[in-house]
Amino acid sequence: MSDSASAAKSSWIVGSAPDCDIVVSQPFVSGKHCRLSVGNGQYVLEDLGSTNGTFVNGQRLASKSPVQIKASDQVTLGPTLPMPWPVKKASGISSSSSSGSEHQPASASQSLTIGRDPQCEIHLDYPMISWHHARITPSGKQWMIEDLNSSNGTALNQIYNRIQRSVLQPSDEIYLGSYKILASRILKEQQLKQGEGAFERIRLGDRMVLGRDPASGYPLNAPTISWQHAAIERAPEGIYVEDLGSRNGTYVNGVRITGKTLVRPGQEIGLGSFRFHLLEDGQLAKREYVGNVTIEVSSVAVNAPTGERLLDSMSLTIFPSELVALMGPAGAGKTTFLKAINGYTPPAAGRVLFNGADLYQFYDRFCQQMSYVPQDDIVHPQLTVREALYFSAKLRTDLRNAEIEQRIDKVLNSLGIQDKKNAIIGSPERKVLSGGQRKRVNIAMELMVAAPVIFLDEPTSGLSSYDAENVIQVLKKLATEGNTIITTIHQPSLDIFKQFDSLIMITRDRGGRGALAYFGPAHPDSIEFFDPAGTQAVRSQSGKELSPEMLLSGLAKKTTSDWVASYEQSRYKQMFVTDRSGKVPSAASEATSGPVRKFGFGQWWTLVRRNFLLKVRDRAQGIILLAQAPLFALLLGGVFKVLQFPKTDWGTIASQAPPLEFLLVVAAIWFGCNNVARDIVGEWTVFQRERMVSLKLPSYVFSKLTVAAVLSLFQCLTLLGIVTLMCDLQGDFLRTLEILYLSSLVGSALGLCVSARASTTEAAIAMLPLILLPIITLSGGLTPLNGMSKPMQQVAKVVPSRWAYEANLLVEAAEPHGETADSPVKPVHGKFEKPKKPLDLADRSFPVEFGRTTYNDSLAILGGMLAFWVTTSLVFLRLRDIQ
């Protein structure tokens, strides 16, 4: 801002948004943080609903409540950052703002050429950009922009406001055809290269190690890069690349490699968000995805699992740094389209291209370059914000703990929620963080890996207007930093809608298919397109602006086919679809490169720690799980008391011992099943997101089983210990514990299967009786096996309680009980002495056929059942992946 301009203004907007009068690029400064006004020598300050507040002499101002301040007051953005004043406070309105100095021309001879020519200072390799498109030159204390006879023209602030030569303000938006870029970004960086033609040459020696290690041959500072990620070396037969055990893999032409692989000229080496093309002269051309991802949707159509067509063929192209809104009436297919272009739902026809490469063909290569925030939370409500981000980073990267902590602070600062770092996240039902703060935590989870592409599904749904605006401001800031962002949104306010660069409108008639009705500039062009009559009426009334509500009301005035036809004939179709489309590569003949995921100890251990923390934090459920074993044991002890047999009466023994052993087995299996039945389905959105990126099914399932095993051990030990003391069981304690513990693990495996297939937690709980009832009925505890029909005896062979119950009776029957003729009962310390004679295993009064099955047989069979149900749970989860 010049001296004269500063003197002329009487009001300044202060914030981090590029169009503010005073731009303060700090992570905890809101897009439009506060307004400073001056008149008659008096200053007036108004906080504009900032996240971290505006403070005067240490006191936070109320939002949207202007107050008078003095030149001597200490004004800060947030509690500590001094607000940059546009004038010298001591002398009134006479001096210039320091905020504009970074955009002042550095020298009279400096100029910036924009175009596809690699020699241009602003090199933008996109199809609608001309070889030499435009030039920015200094003129005194301001900048001028001129069009260089480009094919698609240069415009300022609105796509049809074309210019030949004009004054350029730092707050202006420059349109190069349909490509939009901020003037402030060009003037600040003054060297910018984007697109496939933008690369950096790297000279390759005999051997070069790439990784986060600063001492490596070529350091790459990115979360998805391992400390020592890969090595490239020369050999007499050519150039070899070797993966050095990286977390996220090394790729040659999109295919993950193991060991050394020969790379030929023209082939591409991929590491995280970096790509290296081997040139003919043996050098490397380095490109980076961050700030440089173009998404092209080429004739994509989507079907339902039944084969019914949901979305007709759609084509469009989205460039880096664009914040794109995806709108449409309910049921039009917004989420369906979003999932088709982010890897969740393969399209029935067409292709999704990331920088010209097929997303689904090379999904394993691109999954770390995408972030997806679904409508439901992808965080565990029991964790703190820091813990959620820590575990997310541990699962998706191999960053060290110190690096993760630095990354957490950076991400939270950028989202304005640093003060919530150690707060419990909570849920909509048990609120701790506000809805807007919780949404920002969801976004923070994805920002931990610095993915350049972000997809969001209804990020403002259910939020207040204040929280919704804060979330969109965060997304706008991320877009200006180079991220490509697409988000579905339902009914945005005018202030929110103005933040979007482009709009995708999908419409659908009742019983019809979804179709693309519009893709082009968001405000005001989209409103003019859908409601031209309403636009004229509003503009005839001074002071009124076009409202986003006019979009859907205008959309309802025509059928889907009419809107599709109108868009086909529109200038927006030509500019935003035809002119933007690149050369779609032919389908590759090689097989699709699916994600490479094997069991990993590091991931398993991270999941185990998180699962234990979740169990501990859920106090209500934790108390129930820990208390049910001792309470049930006390109940059994009170019912059965001490097992006393004053005579050699096997009938009396058979009437008391078997029911007790039967209930011990049933309880053990029930404990195991109940412990985990809600675990998978209860965190399904979290599982889906982590699975789409890097989660390994064996690591996930065995982490659940590990926590269940520890809990089951406590429950079985408590149950058996109390019952043994109260009922004076004589069987081998460790052998009985072994059987009960193995039975409980089989129950846990069954519970995981239920949780893996159930659609809701309520459905999982409702399915438990279907498991428990056969376990009770077919165990032999109610009716002896030899009393069952032959078919039922065969069915009982696959019921774990049958083998556990029989093994427990074998252990107990191996020890003598009660009084015998040779050894009269003598009380010792209130208990009976152990008689010398064991039970007769051939006695037919017992409800099982002893002698046919040994204790070891039962252990082996239960172990086989455990392995079977664990494998089944893995299969169930894999099937849901495919679905």
Side-chain angles (χ1 to χ4, degrees):
M1 185 186 300
S2 66
D3 293 348
S4 59
S6 178
K9 286 185 70 68
S10 60
S11 179
W12 297 265
I13 300 293
V14 183
S16 59
D19 57 344
C20 289
D21 301 298
I22 301 176
V23 179
V24 183
S25 298
Q26 293 293 332
F28 46 84
V29 176
S30 297
K32 289 182 170 51
H33 199 102
C34 63
R35 179 187 290 111
L36 179 67
S37 306
V38 65
N40 300 322
Q42 298 291 326
Y43 291 99
V44 176
L45 184 66
E46 178 186 3
D47 183 83
L48 299 178
S50 64
T51 301
N52 296 302
T54 305
F55 293 75
V56 177
N57 298 326
Q59 297 296 317
R60 183 167 182 167
L61 300 183
S63 178
K64 306 295 180 74
S65 298
V67 297
Q68 285 191 355
I69 61 173
K70 296 178 293 187
S72 58
D73 289 333
Q74 296 297 317
V75 181
T76 60
L77 309 178
T80 58
L81 179 68
M83 183 191 76
W85 288 66
V87 295
K88 290 182 179 179
K89 294 184 278 185
S91 57
I93 315 168
S94 60
S95 100
S96 64
S97 164
S98 61
S99 66
S101 61
E102 64 177 308
H103 299 309
Q104 296 299 323
S107 66
S109 60
Q110 184 182 24
S111 66
L112 305 172
T113 303
I114 306 171
R116 287 202 332 273
D117 184 354
Q119 302 304 315
C120 291
E121 289 79 11
I122 310 300
H123 176 208
L124 304 174
D125 185 24
Y126 299 113
M128 79 293 302
I129 307 288
S130 296
W131 191 252
H132 293 133
H133 197 109
R135 180 183 293 117
I136 299 174
T137 56
S139 178
K141 293 187 176 181
Q142 62 186 9
W143 292 97
M144 303 294 293
I145 184 171
E146 61 177 321
D147 183 74
L148 300 178
N149 297 318
S150 63
S151 300
N152 295 303
T154 303
L156 291 181
N157 299 318
Q158 290 193 3
I159 197 167
Y160 294 112
N161 181 30
R162 291 197 175 186
I163 55 96
Q164 284 300 317
R165 180 177 172 84
S166 175
V167 175
L168 182 67
Q169 299 293 339
S171 60
D172 286 339
E173 296 174 335
I174 303 173
Y175 283 91
L176 308 166
S178 64
Y179 182 84
K180 184 172 78 171
I181 188 169
L182 296 176
S184 58
R185 183 180 181 189
I186 292 178
L187 299 178
K188 180 180 179 179
E189 299 186 22
Q190 302 200 4
Q191 288 288 333
L192 179 63
K193 296 184 181 297
Q194 281 190 183
E196 284 300 287
F199 62 86
E200 172 190 351
R201 280 182 176 267
I202 299 174
R203 186 174 297 278
L204 177 62
D206 292 336
R207 178 179 169 85
M208 181 171 69
V209 176
L210 301 93
R212 288 198 332 274
D213 184 359
S216 61
Y218 195 85
L220 297 171
N221 187 20
T224 53
I225 300 297
S226 296
W227 190 250
Q228 290 193 335
H229 197 110
I232 304 175
E233 61 179 326
R234 291 186 183 276
E237 58 271 25
I239 306 295
Y240 282 91
V241 61
E242 178 184 7
D243 183 79
L244 300 178
S246 65
R247 166 67 65 86
N248 294 309
T250 303
Y251 300 82
V252 173
N253 273 10
V255 179
R256 191 166 184 165
I257 65 169
T258 56
K260 286 187 177 182
T261 301
L262 182 65
V263 184
R264 303 190 182 280
Q267 290 187 320
E268 178 187 272
I269 303 169
L271 290 78
S273 58
F274 301 94
R275 295 175 294 154
F276 300 85
H277 276 89
L278 182 61
L279 304 177
E280 292 290 343
D281 60 3
Q283 297 186 41
L284 298 173
K286 172 195 168 188
R287 294 178 174 86
E288 189 173 353
Y289 282 114
V290 176
N292 193 25
V293 176
T294 297
I295 302 174
E296 183 166 356
V297 180
S298 177
S299 303
V300 164
V302 183
N303 288 351
T306 59
E308 177 189 2
R309 180 59 55 91
L310 297 178
L311 292 177
D312 275 333
S313 179
M314 299 185 188
S315 296
L316 51 89
T317 303
I318 300 168
F319 287 135
S321 300
E322 285 192 329
L323 176 58
V324 180
L326 175 57
M327 294 181 65
K334 302 184 293 295
T335 300
T336 300
F337 177 73
L338 192 69
K339 288 187 173 182
I341 63 175
N342 69 11
Y344 267 60
T345 307
R351 303 174 70 185
V352 181
L353 306 175
F354 275 39
N355 287 352
D358 191 289
L359 168 64
Y360 284 92
Q361 183 183 356
F362 303 112
Y363 180 78
D364 191 31
R365 165 184 163 190
F366 288 121
C367 64
Q368 293 290 349
Q369 313 311 317
M370 296 184 294
S371 294
Y372 175 47
V373 182
Q375 292 186 35
D376 298 323
D377 287 343
I378 53 173
V379 292
H380 292 92
Q382 301 94 335
L383 300 178
T384 65
V385 173
R386 179 206 158 270
E387 289 166 348
L389 300 187
Y390 173 84
F391 287 122
S392 178
K394 274 292 186 182
L395 289 173
R396 297 171 65 172
T397 72
D398 59 0
L399 292 174
R400 300 178 178 184
N401 286 341
E403 293 176 294
I404 292 177
E405 294 298 336
Q406 293 175 358
R407 185 80 191 152
I408 289 173
D409 289 336
K410 179 180 179 180
V411 168
L412 294 181
N413 272 323
S414 70
L415 297 176
I417 50 174
Q418 175 65 24
D419 58 326
K420 302 299 181 183
K421 178 178 179 180
N422 295 309
I424 296 292
I425 295 170
S427 63
E429 296 77 22
R430 301 176 62 183
K431 289 188 176 180
V432 180
L433 298 184
S434 70
Q437 290 168 337
R438 209 165 53 250
K439 281 294 183 184
R440 277 181 276 178
V441 174
N442 281 271
I443 296 172
M445 294 274 287
E446 296 297 327
L447 295 185
M448 287 298 294
V449 295
V453 181
I454 304 174
F455 300 96
L456 303 101
D457 195 359
E458 296 281 2
T460 61
S461 176
L463 302 184
S464 66
S465 58
Y466 171 77
D467 284 333
E469 189 168 353
N470 279 339
V471 168
I472 298 302
Q473 285 177 353
V474 167
L475 298 180
K476 184 65 175 179
K477 182 179 179 182
L478 293 172
T480 60
E481 294 171 355
N483 294 283
T484 307
I485 304 177
I486 307 171
T487 175
T488 62
I489 195 163
H490 186 49
Q491 289 183 326
S493 66
L494 179 60
D495 289 339
I496 288 177
F497 194 60
K498 284 183 175 180
Q499 299 290 322
F500 290 99
D501 299 306
S502 303
L503 168 69
I504 301 170
M505 179 66 80
I506 296 177
T507 184
R508 181 182 186 182
D509 296 331
R510 184 183 297 274
R513 304 169 175 176
L516 180 66
Y518 176 86
F519 175 53
H523 187 276
D525 298 69
S526 62
I527 302 174
E528 295 171 349
F529 178 81
F530 286 106
D531 195 357
T535 299
Q536 292 181 0
V538 169
R539 286 180 171 166
S540 65
Q541 306 174 43
S542 61
K544 292 196 68 176
E545 289 193 79
L546 300 179
S547 168
E549 295 177 357
M550 300 168 64
L551 284 170
L552 296 181
S553 60
L555 186 68
K557 295 177 182 178
K558 293 184 182 180
T559 64
T560 296
S561 58
D562 289 338
W563 282 121
V564 170
S566 297
Y567 183 66
E568 286 291 329
Q569 302 300 318
S570 71
R571 54 193 178 182
Y572 300 110
K573 172 67 183 297
Q574 179 65 37
M575 295 185 69
F576 280 82
V577 177
T578 305
D579 291 348
R580 285 187 170 203
S581 63
K583 182 181 179 181
V584 178
S586 58
S589 57
E590 58 190 84
T592 299
S593 174
V596 177
R597 299 181 176 120
K598 299 178 181 178
F599 181 84
F601 178 82
Q603 193 176 87
W604 167 82
W605 179 237
T606 299
L607 291 168
V608 167
R609 287 188 293 161
R610 186 175 74 180
N611 290 337
F612 268 115
L613 199 55
L614 293 173
K615 292 289 186 185
V616 170
R617 290 280 170 77
D618 194 346
R619 293 185 179 179
Q621 184 182 6
I623 291 173
I624 293 173
L625 294 179
L626 293 176
Q628 58 187 1
L631 290 177
F632 187 67
L634 291 172
L635 177 63
L636 291 180
V639 170
F640 289 93
K641 301 180 182 179
V642 176
L643 295 182
Q644 303 177 25
F645 310 109
K647 296 181 179 179
T648 312
D649 182 359
W650 306 127
T652 303
I653 300 173
S655 67
Q656 294 188 39
L660 179 59
E661 299 293 347
F662 161 70
L663 290 174
L664 287 175
V665 167
V666 171
I669 296 175
W670 166 252
F671 291 158
C673 195
N674 187 52
N675 288 343
V676 298
R678 293 174 291 269
D679 277 15
I680 297 177
V681 66
E683 59 178 27
W684 189 248
T685 54
V686 179
F687 168 82
Q688 279 186 304
R689 180 60 204 135
E690 292 176 345
R691 179 62 180 157
M692 288 297 292
V693 181
S694 61
L695 187 64
K696 304 173 180 69
L697 289 182
S699 301
Y700 181 76
V701 170
F702 280 101
S703 72
K704 294 292 184 185
L705 198 61
T706 301
V707 176
V710 174
L711 184 56
S712 293
L713 180 61
F714 167 81
Q715 291 170 325
C716 292
L717 188 61
T718 304
L719 175 67
L720 183 59
I722 293 175
V723 170
T724 298
L725 291 174
M726 294 186 69
C727 297
D728 196 23
L729 296 181
Q730 302 299 317
D732 187 291
F733 183 85
L734 292 180
R735 282 197 163 195
T736 305
L737 177 63
E738 188 176 19
I739 281 291
L740 292 181
Y741 184 49
L742 191 53
S743 302
S744 188
L745 291 181
V746 175
S748 296
L750 283 165
L752 287 176
C753 290
V754 169
S755 197
R757 290 306 296 172
S759 56
T760 64
T761 53
E762 292 79 8
I765 297 302
M767 289 173 66
L768 291 184
L770 299 179
I771 295 174
L772 186 62
L773 292 176
I775 285 173
I776 294 173
T777 307
L778 298 174
S779 64
L782 299 178
T783 300
L785 288 175
N786 55 15
M788 297 182 186
S789 65
K790 294 295 183 181
M792 286 297 99
Q793 289 183 25
Q794 297 304 313
V795 174
K797 290 182 178 180
V798 299
V799 177
S801 57
R802 177 261 169 110
W803 303 102
Y805 173 50
E806 189 165 319
N808 268 11
L809 283 178
L810 285 169
V811 172
E812 191 65 26
E815 300 295 331
H817 292 70
E819 180 184 8
T820 69
D822 300 328
S823 177
V825 175
K826 296 179 181 179
V828 178
H829 301 297
K831 294 186 179 181
F832 290 96
E833 289 182 335
K834 182 184 292 188
K836 299 177 181 179
K837 182 180 178 182
L839 297 179
D840 183 0
L841 298 186
D843 191 278
R844 302 301 294 174
S845 61
F846 274 86
V848 293
E849 297 182 50
F850 287 114
R852 294 192 179 184
T853 303
T854 66
Y855 172 80
N856 290 333
D857 290 337
S858 295
L859 282 181
I861 292 170
L862 287 172
M865 288 184 178
L866 174 62
F868 173 80
W869 288 114
V870 170
T871 303
T872 303
S873 64
L874 288 167
V875 171
F876 282 172
L877 288 174
R878 182 59 184 147
L879 288 175
R880 294 189 76 166
D881 267 354
I882 297 172
Q883 293 170 358

